[in-house]
Amino acid sequence: MPGGIEGTLNIFSEQDVMDLLCMPQVLIDLIETCLSGGDQQSLADIILQDAALAARIILAASKSGSEPLDPLEPVSSAVQRLGVAMITGVALQSARQIVQHDFTPQELSFQYGLWFSSRVSGIVARCLAPSVNYPYIEEAQLSGLLQNLGIYALFIKEGRDYIGLDVHPWSSAMQCHLEEAHYQIDHLQIADKLIEPWKLDSFLVDTIRFLHADLSQIEGNHPLLKIARMTQQFCQSPQQLTAETEALAERLFGFTKSEIDYLFEWAGGLYPRFGAFLHSPEKLQTELSVSLARLTELSFVLADQEVARSRLGLGEKPKELVRIARQLYLENSPANEAIFFLLDQQHFQLTGILSEGQARLIGELKISMEPKSSLPALALHSGKTTNSFQPIQPLTVNDHVLIRLSEGQGISCHPFLLNGRALGVVVLGIDSTQDLQRLQSLQIKMFGQVISDALMKTSVDVQDYVNEGSSLLRRVSHEVKNPLTIIGNYSEVLHHSLVNNKNQDLTEAIKKEVRRIDEILNYYLNRQEIPGFPEPSIDLNQLILDIGDAVDDTVLKPRQVEIRFDLQKDLEDVATNPVLVKQILVNLIKNAAEASSANGVVKLMTRRGYSSDHGKHVEIIIQDNGSGISPELQEKLFQPVISTKGPSHAGVGLSIVKGMVDDICGRISCHSSLGSGTSFHLQIPCRVICPVKS
């Protein structure tokens, strides 16, 4: 048999994906984004530029969890499952392979052609999907990107022998025939073999397997198959729109000449730049050399990252962490001084953290989080670096004080953020705009990301969270819950033994009291684990609609209670904790439903508000048309044992609600009259400013 590979499908396995060569520039972009703290969508967009990298990431994610990946967004769900650390590891392993690989000029040209054609397929599919109203953009893009996956595998195994077949770096029916004759297997069968273990509930495998099926079968089939066939046609002549491409677009999608012209121009504007010199071995070699040098450099930055992470791991408290982080900046940047501020969420201010050898005044600095108050506050609000050399707002007294304390001619302020949560700021004292440029290095950005991660793992607030008190509460809870469980079990047994006995109601009351105590313990325990920072932009109207959907079937319909909405349009987003808001509203809606009779109505309303002491806020009103609450009960409504629902209810819900409202720095009030129903008014500040608690 010709060739050096047995003609059997079994020689290819999922592990062959890990041998495929990823494009260096894509790896560079991915590693840089990981180091600088890019979001998940940015990482997914980069991965979707290279077939081998996308296959590696999806394979790693599919093997790391028992649940299948989202078939419509497999790369995005893989990124979410793996996390930045594992993705960085895959990228580093891929970088090592490409750096160590030795290409002949012919192999280099073929490899770049393969990277280019796969990228073109993905781009065309991404542009084509919305043009034909196919809603799953990522799935479509992947169907184009992976068409050549089997070619990657054959090329990495056979190299010059494979190129010697006079094959192209894109899929074609003729190429399949050549491969079948030489190896008794073709690249589409290989791709099928590599993709199948991902177990995606998608037509993706079918688009690869039947890419070159008779056109009469394709045109009447699923849109994804038609998109894949169209992208394959583009790859045969990516730089020039041919009559064959126009005819296929008209047959599959009914495109007019102007529509296919627009698609061709749109996709062509997104092609990678190296497509212009695919036939110049010298330029390709230069391109590869530059990329490999950058990958080597990035490997050292990754090594620095691990060193920084290890050093920061020695800091168990915020002050220790800041001391180590200050040394990192002083050792690796042009900064004369590094002043750290942590966000005090309770008082809505930045608090200076004093390190050994710094001016005493740094530990006394308290800066408002109003953006106009200082450059550090503006940096944390915007999530972007600010500086005094090119200020985007007038310098304040706070800024001038920081310039003096930082021992430089000016300052550069770098925010610490993790997953959108604000943690703090470092103010670096520097002497010139040249220093500013040096602070834009990837290494400095990497320090910011690693320090943010370390801050999140220790303490993200300058306030003491009273760890000893939390430990005591857990010990007390453990001791109390054991006898509570016994009491609950005995009361259940007693309840069943007193069937048709007038004392059976007493056992039910005991069970309810046990549950009430358990709820109180759980709430105060869980308070220690409530996220310390609000989400920056919460759409309360949407949150309310989602909650309404969630409780309608389980809480309202069983009681024959209708839910209605009166939500103010264009309501301002708020900075709050959506988890707590949801818990508050669910509790209040359940109370309202229980207070309503059959065929009752619970109404949810929103409106803007403003008060001189509370500032701008959004008000949520939960209104029922029940029997109302007496004035004497209203005065004690939020005390633990007060209930509005009769003697069978313990009334713990409203006291817990009040605690949650305090946790989000909001306010709650009740308005009710007998026979007319009740409304609870929840005010949530647009920005969190909690009063100082004594």
Side-chain angles (χ1 to χ4, degrees), residues 219-255:
E219 62 182 334
N221 219 301
H222 191 272
L224 196 64
L225 275 72
K226 295 194 285 186
I227 290 172
R229 185 59 169 265
M230 190 73 234
T231 61
Q232 184 270 335
Q233 178 64 40
F234 259 79
C235 286
Q236 297 181 51
S237 180
Q239 309 291 3
Q240 182 178 358
L241 185 58
T242 64
E244 291 80 5
T245 302
E246 292 178 358
L248 185 62
E250 181 181 5
R251 181 171 177 178
L252 291 180
F253 302 108
F255 279 2

Coordinates of all heavy atoms in Angstrom, one line a residue, residues 219-255:
E219 N -29.5 21.0 -0.5 CA -30.4 22.1 -0.6 C -31.7 22.0 0.1 O -32.3 22.9 0.5 CB -30.6 22.5 -2.0 CG -31.3 21.5 -2.9 CD -31.5 21.9 -4.3 OE1 -31.5 23.1 -4.6 OE2 -31.6 21.0 -5.2
G220 N -32.1 20.7 0.4 CA -33.4 20.5 1.1 C -33.2 20.1 2.5 O -34.1 19.7 3.2
N221 N -32.0 20.3 3.0 CA -31.6 19.8 4.4 C -31.5 21.0 5.4 O -31.9 22.1 5.1 CB -30.3 19.0 4.3 CG -30.4 17.8 5.2 OD1 -30.6 17.9 6.4 ND2 -30.2 16.6 4.6
H222 N -31.0 20.6 6.5 CA -30.9 21.6 7.6 C -30.0 22.8 7.2 O -29.1 22.6 6.5 CB -30.3 20.9 8.8 CG -30.3 21.7 10.1 ND1 -29.3 22.6 10.5 CD2 -31.2 21.7 11.1 CE1 -29.7 23.2 11.6 NE2 -30.8 22.7 12.0
P223 N -30.4 24.0 7.7 CA -29.6 25.2 7.3 C -28.1 25.1 7.6 O -27.3 25.7 6.8 CB -30.2 26.3 8.1 CG -31.6 25.8 8.4 CD -31.5 24.4 8.5
L224 N -27.7 24.4 8.6 CA -26.3 24.3 9.0 C -25.5 23.6 7.9 O -24.4 23.9 7.6 CB -26.1 23.6 10.3 CG -24.7 23.7 11.0 CD1 -24.5 25.2 11.3 CD2 -24.6 22.9 12.2
L225 N -26.1 22.6 7.2 CA -25.5 21.9 6.1 C -25.3 22.8 4.9 O -24.3 22.7 4.3 CB -26.2 20.6 5.8 CG -25.9 19.3 6.6 CD1 -26.5 19.5 8.0 CD2 -26.5 18.1 5.9
K226 N -26.3 23.6 4.7 CA -26.2 24.5 3.6 C -25.1 25.6 3.8 O -24.4 26.0 2.9 CB -27.6 25.2 3.3 CG -28.6 24.1 2.8 CD -29.8 24.8 2.2 CE -30.7 25.4 3.3 NZ -32.0 25.9 2.8
I227 N -25.1 26.1 5.1 CA -24.0 27.1 5.4 C -22.7 26.5 5.2 O -21.8 27.1 4.7 CB -24.3 27.6 6.9 CG1 -25.5 28.4 7.0 CG2 -23.1 28.4 7.3 CD1 -25.9 28.8 8.4
A228 N -22.5 25.3 5.7 CA -21.1 24.6 5.5 C -20.8 24.5 4.1 O -19.6 24.7 3.7 CB -21.2 23.3 6.3
R229 N -21.7 24.0 3.2 CA -21.4 23.9 1.8 C -21.1 25.2 1.2 O -20.2 25.2 0.3 CB -22.6 23.2 1.1 CG -22.4 22.9 -0.3 CD -21.2 21.9 -0.5 NE -21.2 21.4 -1.9 CZ -21.8 20.2 -2.2 NH1 -22.4 19.5 -1.3 NH2 -21.8 19.8 -3.5
M230 N -21.7 26.3 1.6 CA -21.4 27.6 1.0 C -20.0 28.0 1.4 O -19.3 28.6 0.6 CB -22.5 28.6 1.5 CG -22.5 29.9 0.8 SD -23.1 29.8 -0.9 CE -21.8 30.5 -1.8
T231 N -19.7 27.8 2.6 CA -18.3 28.2 3.1 C -17.2 27.5 2.4 O -16.2 28.0 2.1 CB -18.2 28.1 4.6 OG1 -18.3 26.7 5.0 CG2 -19.2 28.9 5.3
Q232 N -17.5 26.2 2.1 CA -16.5 25.4 1.4 C -16.3 25.9 0.0 O -15.2 26.0 -0.5 CB -17.0 23.9 1.3 CG -16.0 22.9 0.7 CD -16.2 22.8 -0.8 OE1 -17.3 23.1 -1.3 NE2 -15.2 22.4 -1.5
Q233 N -17.3 26.4 -0.6 CA -17.2 27.0 -2.0 C -16.4 28.3 -1.9 O -15.6 28.5 -2.8 CB -18.6 27.3 -2.5 CG -18.7 28.0 -3.9 CD -18.1 27.1 -5.0 OE1 -18.3 25.9 -5.0 NE2 -17.3 27.6 -5.9
F234 N -16.6 29.1 -0.9 CA -15.8 30.3 -0.8 C -14.3 30.0 -0.7 O -13.5 30.7 -1.3 CB -16.2 31.0 0.5 CG -17.2 32.2 0.3 CD1 -18.5 32.0 0.0 CD2 -16.7 33.5 0.3 CE1 -19.4 33.0 -0.2 CE2 -17.5 34.6 0.0 CZ -18.9 34.3 -0.2
C235 N -13.9 28.9 0.0 CA -12.5 28.6 0.2 C -11.8 28.3 -1.1 O -10.6 28.5 -1.1 CB -12.4 27.5 1.2 SG -12.7 27.9 2.9
Q236 N -12.5 27.9 -2.1 CA -11.8 27.5 -3.3 C -11.4 28.8 -4.1 O -10.4 28.7 -4.9 CB -12.8 26.7 -4.2 CG -13.2 25.4 -3.6 CD -14.1 24.6 -4.5 OE1 -13.9 24.4 -5.7 NE2 -15.2 24.1 -3.9
S237 N -12.0 29.9 -3.8 CA -11.6 31.1 -4.4 C -11.9 32.3 -3.5 O -12.8 33.1 -3.7 CB -12.3 31.3 -5.8 OG -11.9 32.5 -6.4
P238 N -11.1 32.4 -2.4 CA -11.5 33.4 -1.3 C -11.3 34.9 -1.8 O -11.9 35.8 -1.2 CB -10.6 33.0 -0.1 CG -9.5 32.3 -0.8 CD -10.0 31.6 -2.0
Q239 N -10.4 35.1 -2.7 CA -10.0 36.4 -3.1 C -10.8 36.9 -4.3 O -10.7 38.1 -4.6 CB -8.5 36.5 -3.4 CG -7.6 36.0 -2.4 CD -7.6 36.8 -1.1 OE1 -8.3 37.8 -1.0 NE2 -6.7 36.4 -0.1
Q240 N -11.6 36.1 -4.9 CA -12.3 36.5 -6.1 C -13.7 35.8 -6.2 O -13.7 34.6 -6.0 CB -11.5 36.1 -7.4 CG -12.2 36.6 -8.7 CD -11.4 36.2 -9.9 OE1 -10.2 35.7 -9.8 NE2 -11.9 36.6 -11.1
L241 N -14.7 36.5 -6.4 CA -16.1 36.0 -6.4 C -16.3 35.3 -7.8 O -16.3 36.0 -8.8 CB -17.1 37.1 -6.2 CG -18.6 36.6 -6.1 CD1 -18.8 35.6 -5.0 CD2 -19.5 37.8 -5.9
T242 N -16.5 34.0 -7.8 CA -16.6 33.3 -9.0 C -18.1 33.1 -9.4 O -19.0 33.2 -8.5 CB -15.9 31.9 -8.9 OG1 -16.6 31.1 -8.0 CG2 -14.5 32.1 -8.6
A243 N -18.3 32.7 -10.7 CA -19.7 32.4 -11.1 C -20.3 31.2 -10.4 O -21.5 31.2 -10.1 CB -19.7 32.2 -12.6
E244 N -19.4 30.3 -10.0 CA -19.8 29.1 -9.3 C -20.3 29.4 -7.9 O -21.3 28.9 -7.4 CB -18.7 28.0 -9.2 CG -18.3 27.4 -10.5 CD -17.4 28.3 -11.3 OE1 -17.0 29.3 -10.9 OE2 -17.1 27.8 -12.5
T245 N -19.6 30.3 -7.3 CA -20.0 30.8 -5.9 C -21.4 31.5 -6.0 O -22.3 31.3 -5.2 CB -19.0 31.7 -5.3 OG1 -17.7 31.0 -5.2 CG2 -19.4 32.1 -3.9
E246 N -21.6 32.4 -7.0 CA -22.8 33.1 -7.1 C -24.0 32.1 -7.4 O -25.1 32.3 -6.8 CB -22.7 34.1 -8.3 CG -21.7 35.3 -8.0 CD -21.6 36.2 -9.2 OE1 -22.3 35.9 -10.3 OE2 -20.9 37.2 -9.1
A247 N -23.7 31.2 -8.2 CA -24.8 30.2 -8.6 C -25.2 29.4 -7.4 O -26.4 29.1 -7.1 CB -24.3 29.3 -9.7
L248 N -24.2 29.0 -6.6 CA -24.5 28.2 -5.4 C -25.3 29.0 -4.3 O -26.2 28.5 -3.7 CB -23.2 27.7 -4.7 CG -23.4 26.7 -3.6 CD1 -24.1 25.4 -4.0 CD2 -22.0 26.3 -2.9
A249 N -24.9 30.3 -4.2 CA -25.6 31.1 -3.2 C -27.1 31.3 -3.6 O -28.0 31.4 -2.8 CB -24.9 32.5 -3.1
E250 N -27.3 31.4 -4.9 CA -28.7 31.6 -5.4 C -29.4 30.3 -5.2 O -30.6 30.3 -4.8 CB -28.7 32.0 -6.9 CG -30.1 32.2 -7.4 CD -30.1 32.5 -8.9 OE1 -29.0 32.5 -9.5 OE2 -31.2 32.8 -9.4
R251 N -28.8 29.2 -5.5 CA -29.5 27.9 -5.4 C -29.8 27.5 -3.9 O -31.0 27.1 -3.6 CB -28.7 26.8 -6.0 CG -29.4 25.4 -6.0 CD -28.6 24.4 -6.8 NE -29.2 23.1 -6.7 CZ -28.8 22.0 -7.3 NH1 -27.7 22.1 -8.2 NH2 -29.4 20.8 -7.2
L252 N -28.9 27.7 -3.0 CA -29.1 27.3 -1.6 C -29.9 28.3 -0.8 O -30.7 27.9 0.0 CB -27.7 27.1 -0.9 CG -26.9 25.9 -1.4 CD1 -25.6 25.9 -0.6 CD2 -27.6 24.6 -1.3
F253 N -29.7 29.6 -1.1 CA -30.3 30.6 -0.3 C -31.2 31.7 -1.0 O -31.7 32.6 -0.4 CB -29.3 31.4 0.6 CG -28.4 30.5 1.4 CD1 -27.1 30.2 1.1 CD2 -28.9 29.9 2.5 CE1 -26.3 29.4 1.9 CE2 -28.2 29.0 3.3 CZ -26.8 28.8 3.0
G254 N -31.2 31.6 -2.3 CA -32.0 32.5 -3.1 C -31.3 33.9 -3.1 O -32.1 34.9 -3.3
F255 N -30.0 34.0 -3.0 CA -29.3 35.3 -3.0 C -29.4 35.9 -4.3 O -29.2 35.3 -5.4 CB -27.9 35.1 -2.5 CG -27.7 35.1 -1.0 CD1 -28.8 35.1 -0.2 CD2 -26.4 35.0 -0.5 CE1 -28.6 35.0 1.2 CE2 -26.2 34.9 0.9 CZ -27.3 34.9 1.7

